[in-house]
Amino acid sequence: RGLGDVYKRQEEETAEELDLDGVYEATAAFYIDVDAIDGSSGETFATDTCRGDLTVEIDLDLEPSVFGRGDCILENFGIEGRGELEGYVDPFTGEIDGWIKLTLDTEPVEVSWSGQANGDMVVGEFEGSLPFSDTNYDLDLDYLGAFDAER
């Protein structure tokens, strides 16, 4: 063992956990910006924003320690969106890594998300692409989502 190991162990023993347990809510602060990309040409032919509400709960005694759900409506297309998220939070730094099951009138797709909690707020973001097909369109829905939820 070196001196660095002793200092690291002392830092771990003196570091305090953040007070993160609780319910955090985002009212109209959960959004997903969507670009509809034509599957044949690759051209963006429509954009929309899915805006709605989200509830996130942190309980450090559970595995996973972060879980929540958000619902939104695409403003122009009227399509419902849903995100169900889970993750793990570092109780000392508040950093969160997890996954979100995202549905925009499509089959659910799981993507990673990352965020930060400080005891007053949880913020998170995610991005990716969903395939979407119906009788008229064969599309990719590229999206970028984020939320700010307060305790």
Side-chain angles (χ1 to χ4, degrees):
R1 289 186 174 255
L3 191 54
D5 292 331
V6 171
Y7 285 128
K8 183 176 180 186
R9 191 174 68 247
Q10 285 176 342
E11 285 177 11
E12 289 173 356
E13 290 172 359
T14 59
E16 291 186 33
E17 285 189 6
L18 297 169
D19 177 21
L20 301 175
D21 283 355
V23 176
Y24 300 78
E25 295 183 0
T27 303
F30 167 57
Y31 75 89
I32 306 169
D33 288 331
V34 177
D35 292 327
I37 312 292
D38 183 283
S40 302
S41 69
E43 305 251 338
T44 300
F45 72 90
T47 61
D48 204 345
T49 298
C50 196
R51 188 170 309 280
D53 302 335
L54 173 85
T55 300
V56 177
E57 186 167 350
I58 296 178
D59 187 333
L60 296 175
D61 293 329
L62 297 178
E63 291 289 326
S65 54
V66 181
F67 45 96
R69 178 185 168 134
D71 296 295
C72 63
I73 300 285
L74 283 166
E75 296 168 349
N76 296 323
F77 300 138
I79 296 172
E80 293 182 22
R82 178 181 315 132
E84 297 175 6
L85 61 88
E86 294 184 340
Y88 295 92
V89 61
D90 182 313
F92 298 101
T93 66
E95 292 180 17
I96 303 171
D97 288 309
W99 54 97
I100 184 168
K101 187 186 324 180
L102 188 64
T103 306
L104 287 172
D105 202 26
T106 61
E107 291 296 315
V109 174
E110 283 194 15
V111 295
S112 63
W113 72 279
S114 61
Q116 184 72 39
N118 66 12
D120 295 321
M121 178 172 262
V122 174
V123 298
E125 61 185 19
F126 51 94
E127 65 181 304
S129 184
L130 290 168
F132 179 83
S133 295
D134 68 11
T135 55
N136 299 316
Y137 301 104
D138 181 21
L139 316 171
D140 288 321
L141 300 177
D142 290 349
Y143 59 86
L144 172 64
F147 61 87
D148 300 330
E150 296 181 2
R151 180 156 65 168

